[in-house]
Amino acid sequence: MSLEKEHKKTLEEDDEFEDFPVDTWPDSETVKEASNVQSNLWKEDWDDVEVDDDFTKELRSELEKHKQ
Amino acid sequence: MDTVIQCFEHRFSCDILRNFIRYDTAYPSGTMLLREVKNEKLRQFFQYTLELKQEFSTNCMSNGLTVELFDLGNEQLKLLNRLADGETAWITDPMYLCAKQLLGISKLLDKQNASLRSAGFNKQKAKGDLEDEKFLEKCVRTIHTSFKLCLNDRNPNACENKKWGVYLFTNLELKIYKMLYNRDMVRNLVKVMDSRVSELPTPENALQLNKAQLVTYYYYMAEYYGCHEIDFERGYEFARKAWLSSRGKGGSQENTIMLLLVPFAMLARKWYPDLQILRAKYPLVAGVYEPVIKCLQNGDLFTFGKWLDLNESFLLRQNLFVAMVMIRELVLLKVLKLSFQFFGSGPIVSLKYVAAAVTKSESHQGVKQVPEEKLDSTECMLANLISKNYIKGYLSHSNRALVVSKTNAFPKLAATHAQGGCP
């Protein structure tokens, strides 16, 4: 089974939003307070980021043929 | 038993009352006799709760739950609903426990029935064209009465008003409607809540001592707005709040929230998650979305389409298929931007060149000739992107060309953190 399939299977088992094991927790334990993940997680540069993979190379060489 | 009676007399909830309500706990000890309870409704509530315990210990311990257990649990909540009519906010705690217990029984019974059916037993009798009602459908009717009792409480004393408990029952109902795949009922419930928002405490106030319920409420709202109403901005806001209020220890709830948050952030804010951080913190979610993030960066429509095909049933079950189809437009935009970069200078680009880029990206095959219909469909795609201000320019249909702005052909779409608020 591929890794992606395994991930999906595990997430599908959580189809329903499970009940939390505890009712509440202190503010200091929330994602907002407990880590800096929230400020570093998001990136905005998807439309500017330069990728140099096989697909991009193929696209470039294909488009060279269509320039004129 | 005496403490349980005192709870009703002095209007407070405690662990002894909570334990008494449960079907799987022992008979309470105490000196009070049932016949000495003067309040008829209360006496019936005690009576049914004791019968519920009896039914479980006698008939359910080895052979699974029984329909009788459901009926008794259902009656238990109905009786508490009747008692709640003249009660204050304290009663919402035992009501919620009863409702949650009833939901648990219903889920298990529906599961038992489904496995019996799949094994060839217990074939449902047809009632005309209708199948027998599920236990979940029966239980949600009683839970909805609890919801209405809270929603419509007119107690002028704000501290004692049962409206404080409304979100607990909202969450239960939303959970059940999700299990029943009943979107109409979700929409009705959200509309009712929206129409009464000025009378209700905010979820943040009502659930400030119960973050589990607050996060659950945010999650269901995120799913409703993003997946059902295709309002990604509101969906993103609720998913973000759910995530930020979560415990930060990973776990299935956080994974489920991130599963919504990632595509909603892409669509509402044009943000994507840093793969390294996502992998470290939420490896399961990263495993699902990694190919999408890569396609977003390199404009590979073929791989994106393959991913979409492969994940179709998973995405449909998660109500995320529409959102992911809409992300395709961003992948298309990226391949167009790349093709402009490769084209070099000049604001006028032939439609053939653009169509060749799209064809290459869609098929991974060499493009010998671009057929006329491909030019038409490319023109149509470009018109859509221009109308959304994703591309600054115009189409010259007669010259089959795209003319773009010399300075800013592809305006930056991502909301800056200042525009969008700190994520």
Side-chain angles (χ1 to χ4, degrees):
Chain A
M1 193 189 286
S2 74
L3 197 61
E4 197 182 331
K5 272 188 183 165
E6 274 179 44
H7 287 158
K8 261 196 316 176
K9 195 164 178 276
T10 322
L11 287 170
E12 275 188 61
E13 283 158 10
D14 302 333
D15 218 6
E16 188 188 315
F17 192 74
E18 269 185 47
D19 290 338
F20 285 91
V22 289
D23 285 342
T24 201
W25 43 88
D27 283 343
S28 58
E29 285 183 16
T30 59
V31 171
K32 191 175 183 178
E33 302 291 332
S35 65
N36 56 1
V37 170
Q38 51 132 346
S39 49
N40 299 329
L41 179 65
W42 303 110
K43 297 179 98 174
E44 305 169 2
D45 61 352
W46 62 272
D47 49 351
D48 283 329
V49 71
E50 284 191 21
V51 183
D52 194 28
D53 59 4
D54 289 348
F55 167 74
T56 319
K57 283 176 194 157
E58 273 185 43
L59 180 70
R60 186 193 285 269
S61 86
E62 181 68 42
L63 290 179
E64 281 299 318
K65 297 177 210 161
H66 292 269
K67 265 192 176 175
Q68 208 36 261
Chain B
M1 191 70 176
D2 297 343
T3 313
V4 175
I5 293 166
Q6 279 173 20
C7 287
F8 285 87
E9 280 174 358
H10 301 291
R11 294 180 165 167
F12 68 95
S13 186
C14 66
D15 283 342
I16 293 173
L17 173 61
R18 292 183 195 113
N19 265 331
F20 173 70
I21 285 168
R22 288 174 56 178
Y23 63 73
D24 56 354
T25 53
Y27 263 57
S29 56
T31 53
M32 192 76 179
L33 293 171
L34 266 184
R35 61 173 177 273
E36 289 173 32
V37 179
K38 290 187 182 105
N39 182 331
E40 175 64 18
K41 288 181 201 167
L42 191 55
R43 200 174 53 77
Q44 281 184 352
F45 171 71
F46 290 158
Q47 180 72 45
Y48 272 94
T49 304
L50 295 175
E51 282 179 31
L52 183 76
K53 288 174 187 292
Q54 178 75 42
E55 174 64 21
F56 181 74
S57 61
T58 317
N59 298 320
C60 304
M61 298 288 266
S62 50
N63 298 321
L65 304 189
T66 59
V67 178
E68 287 72 25
L69 192 80
F70 171 86
D71 290 338
L72 289 164
N74 198 26
E75 205 52 44
Q76 183 195 39
L77 181 58
K78 280 182 180 174
L79 285 162
L80 203 48
N81 282 342
R82 272 179 228 150
L83 278 165
D85 214 8
E87 283 295 345
T88 55
W90 80 273
I91 197 97
T92 56
D93 181 57
M95 271 163 79
Y96 172 68
L97 288 170
C98 273
K100 198 175 160 197
Q101 173 167 268
L102 183 62
L103 168 58
I105 296 171
S106 308
K107 258 170 66 179
L108 283 172
L109 279 172
D110 281 339
K111 211 172 161 185
Q112 272 176 215
N113 278 352
S115 54
L116 280 173
R117 268 198 302 279
S118 65
F121 300 106
N122 193 26
K123 282 191 179 152
Q124 284 187 337
K125 290 171 199 163
K127 285 182 178 175
D129 290 336
L130 296 171
E131 285 189 335
D132 277 353
E133 199 174 34
K134 284 186 173 176
F135 288 97
L136 278 177
E137 289 167 305
K138 289 179 196 167
C139 95
V140 77
R141 280 202 291 273
T142 316
I143 292 175
H144 189 63
T145 307
S146 312
F147 166 81
K148 283 192 292 185
L149 276 162
C150 294
L151 185 73
N152 298 324
D153 190 5
R154 293 183 178 194
N155 189 333
N157 183 337
C159 296
E160 293 184 344
N161 196 298
K162 289 193 286 288
K163 284 190 168 80
W164 289 104
V166 79
Y167 295 101
L168 300 175
F169 299 99
T170 306
N171 280 350
L172 284 182
E173 284 199 45
L174 290 169
K175 189 184 184 107
I176 296 169
Y177 296 141
K178 184 174 178 177
M179 287 190 273
L180 292 171
Y181 305 106
N182 195 333
R183 285 187 177 197
D184 290 338
M185 293 304 284
V186 174
R187 185 174 290 117
N188 290 346
L189 191 64
V190 176
K191 274 187 181 171
V192 169
M193 295 291 280
D194 276 352
S195 69
R196 306 286 290 274
V197 72
S198 60
E199 304 164 32
L200 294 172
T202 62
E204 292 77 14
N205 276 339
L207 302 171
Q208 60 181 313
L209 298 177
N210 198 333
K211 283 202 179 69
Q213 291 292 333
L214 184 62
V215 171
T216 305
Y217 177 75
Y218 285 151
Y219 169 78
Y220 283 127
M221 289 298 106
E223 189 185 42
Y224 169 72
Y225 284 110
C227 301
H228 299 192
E229 297 296 302
I230 317 299
D231 181 346
F232 298 115
E233 187 55 46
R234 288 183 87 174
Y236 166 76
E237 269 308 321
F238 277 112
R240 183 183 76 98
K241 287 200 270 188
W243 178 53
L244 292 182
S245 304
S246 299
R247 206 171 183 192
K249 291 189 172 179
S252 81
Q253 296 88 357
E254 260 184 85
N255 280 333
T256 317
I257 292 166
M258 288 307 286
L259 215 52
L260 295 187
L261 184 60
V262 170
F264 292 174
M266 285 177 184
L267 288 160
R269 300 294 162 93
K270 312 294 183 289
W271 291 336
Y272 70 99
D274 183 308
L275 263 176
Q276 236 179 331
I277 297 176
L278 195 69
R279 274 193 217 115
K281 194 86 178 116
Y282 306 105
L284 296 180
V285 181
V288 172
Y289 287 132
E290 190 165 338
V292 176
I293 293 164
K294 284 184 176 161
C295 292
L296 204 62
Q297 290 174 322
N298 69 6
D300 185 347
L301 288 164
F302 177 77
T303 305
F304 183 81
K306 248 173 68 175
W307 179 88
L308 208 57
D309 285 346
L310 212 67
N311 291 279
E312 188 177 342
S313 62
F314 170 71
L315 294 170
L316 284 169
R317 272 197 298 281
Q318 299 289 335
N319 293 313
L320 279 168
F321 188 73
V322 175
M324 297 317 297
V325 167
M326 291 174 89
I327 287 174
R328 186 186 185 276
E329 196 171 53
L330 301 178
V331 182
L332 171 69
L333 191 65
K334 182 63 194 251
V335 77
L336 293 176
K337 191 166 181 180
L338 277 178
S339 66
F340 269 71
Q341 276 172 14
F342 298 156
F343 184 74
S345 58
I348 304 170
V349 190
S350 82
L351 216 55
K352 266 189 185 164
Y353 177 84
V354 179
V358 175
T359 310
K360 174 70 186 173
S361 174
E362 282 173 338
S363 65
H364 279 195
Q365 303 290 317
V367 186
K368 283 182 186 155
Q369 270 201 324
V370 180
E372 200 67 14
E373 56 268 30
K374 188 66 192 172
L375 291 180
D376 291 338
S377 67
T378 305
E379 205 172 319
C380 188
M381 282 192 299
L382 289 169
N384 276 329
L385 295 172
I386 291 168
S387 76
K388 290 179 181 173
N389 291 325
Y390 287 180
I391 299 176
K392 263 182 151 182
Y394 61 90
L395 286 159
S396 170
H397 179 70
S398 53
N399 293 315
R400 287 290 203 184
L402 171 68
V403 185
V404 294
S405 160
K406 281 179 189 167
T407 51
N408 190 18
F410 292 87
K412 194 156 182 59
L413 295 177
T416 61
H417 286 199
Q419 276 174 294
C422 179

